[in-house]
Amino acid sequence: MASPNVKTATDQNFEQEVLSGGKPALIDFWATWCAPCRALAPIIDELADQYAGKVDVYKMDIDNNPETPARFGVRGIPTVMLFQGGQLVGQVVGAVPKAELDKLLSKVV
């Protein structure tokens, strides 16, 4: 079951929600047809619960929102990016273990 702590990012709300939000933001670029994305989804949910209040966690469907992934050079999915203060501070590509995403988040919490 999806975590209530995971928010949806869109091309329309990305600037306001992710880049201008007060907290660091982790964003998972994914698509419904992507098997590795589906494998990563429970880990993203876990991280959203684990870091609730410290990091805002978002998912963005690249098929419905093509502008933002193109802007940040997303070439393969899943791609997880971490933003702080409106700046990209790290990213990982592929279905990676939770420990690798914890390591990424340790840069901002």
Side-chain angles (χ1 to χ4, degrees):
M1 187 171 133
S3 168
N5 292 315
V6 176
K7 303 173 185 181
T8 300
T10 65
D11 285 339
Q12 292 72 35
N13 74 6
F14 187 82
E15 197 75 36
Q16 176 75 30
E17 294 277 327
V18 178
L19 298 183
S20 299
K23 293 184 207 131
L26 185 77
I27 180 162
D28 173 23
F29 293 94
W30 72 288
T32 54
W33 48 263
C34 167
C37 298
R38 289 193 305 270
L40 188 63
I43 295 171
I44 296 297
D45 289 342
E46 248 182 80
L47 291 169
D49 293 341
Q50 181 180 338
Y51 290 94
K54 297 179 191 155
V55 176
D56 287 332
V57 177
Y58 296 88
K59 291 179 74 76
M60 178 179 279
D61 184 329
I62 64 161
D63 289 334
N64 296 329
N65 302 282
E67 292 169 23
T68 305
R71 175 178 167 192
F72 289 98
V74 175
R75 303 241 185 283
I77 54 171
T79 292
V80 177
M81 293 185 174
L82 181 62
F83 292 87
Q84 184 174 34
Q87 300 297 310
L88 178 64
V89 294
Q91 77 177 46
V92 294
V93 178
V96 296
K98 183 175 182 275
E100 194 162 332
L101 293 171
D102 277 323
K103 184 177 168 190
L104 177 67
L105 284 162
S106 72
K107 294 179 178 188
V108 297
V109 288

